[in-house]
Amino acid sequence: FIASQQVLDSLARRLGANDPLWQRVVSRTTPPARQRREVINGVPIHLLGLPHGGHPTVQHLAYIVELGGRRVLHVGDGDITEDRFAPFRLDTARIDVPLLPYGASIDARTLNLVQRVVRPRHIVGFHVGTNEGERVARQVRDALPAAVTFHRSLETRRW
């Protein structure tokens, strides 16, 4: 588990000091508009200082994770704007799949931005409330007719 120190401080309030989870936790805080590359347990990860949407005091990270020859961009609740994405040159990062909060994945302006600036092969929307599944799936299909929707935990798709 890799996250900013602010996230780990919050987690520490919920876990005991002897919890075995701490053996697998890595703290990294990357300032806005900066990035760093690390290899953790053999997995290349790019940490992007992408500010949290609407919360400037939150230490937020986006991640590019390379697994099985694929690159996944996880923006979390990041501020998805051209200005915020510009320092990372995502158009050259060969992103296969960005994971976007579903609200961003149904917004035409944001989708246009992601398709133009990130140039992904596929887009996956996430961060859906437990009672919103089918309604959100319809909205995503309307916005992205080729979208694949997930309805169960640990469901998979091959592209």
Side-chain angles (χ1 to χ4, degrees):
F1 181 75
I2 184 168
S4 71
Q5 186 58 51
Q6 193 177 50
V7 169
L8 298 185
D9 291 345
S10 177
L11 186 60
R13 291 190 290 270
R14 292 171 175 74
L15 294 176
N18 296 324
D19 192 297
L21 173 70
W22 291 117
Q23 296 171 17
R24 298 177 301 193
V25 170
V26 178
S27 169
R28 296 292 184 267
T29 302
T30 303
R34 304 289 293 276
Q35 66 179 309
R36 68 195 283 172
R37 182 181 186 274
E38 297 204 19
V39 177
I40 299 175
N41 293 332
V43 178
I45 300 173
H46 297 257
L47 306 164
L48 311 178
L50 182 66
H52 190 287
H55 299 283
T57 61
V58 172
Q59 292 175 346
H60 187 272
L61 294 173
Y63 307 87
I64 299 173
V65 180
E66 299 178 39
L67 291 170
R70 305 272 193 239
R71 286 183 167 206
V72 176
L73 168 65
H74 188 299
V75 299
D77 283 335
D79 190 6
I80 303 172
T81 64
E82 191 156 359
D83 290 347
R84 298 294 194 191
F85 275 10
F88 307 121
R89 294 296 320 266
L90 295 172
D91 58 326
T92 65
R94 300 180 335 270
I95 302 297
D96 292 292
V97 179
L99 306 177
L100 305 176
Y102 89 87
S105 69
I106 62 173
D107 178 74
R109 277 191 320 216
T110 303
L111 281 175
N112 181 290
L113 168 72
V114 169
Q115 289 169 337
R116 185 173 41 83
V117 173
V118 179
R119 296 193 236 172
R121 294 176 58 200
H122 304 280
I123 295 175
V124 172
F126 74 102
H127 209 321
V128 177
T130 55
N131 296 326
E132 300 176 298
E134 189 50 44
R135 179 182 61 81
V136 169
R138 277 192 307 275
Q139 289 176 320
V140 170
R141 282 192 302 270
D142 288 347
L144 291 166
V148 173
T149 57
F150 296 87
H151 298 282
R152 290 181 306 279
S153 180
L154 301 176
E155 190 172 350
T156 62
R157 292 288 191 269
R158 292 192 183 271
W159 288 299

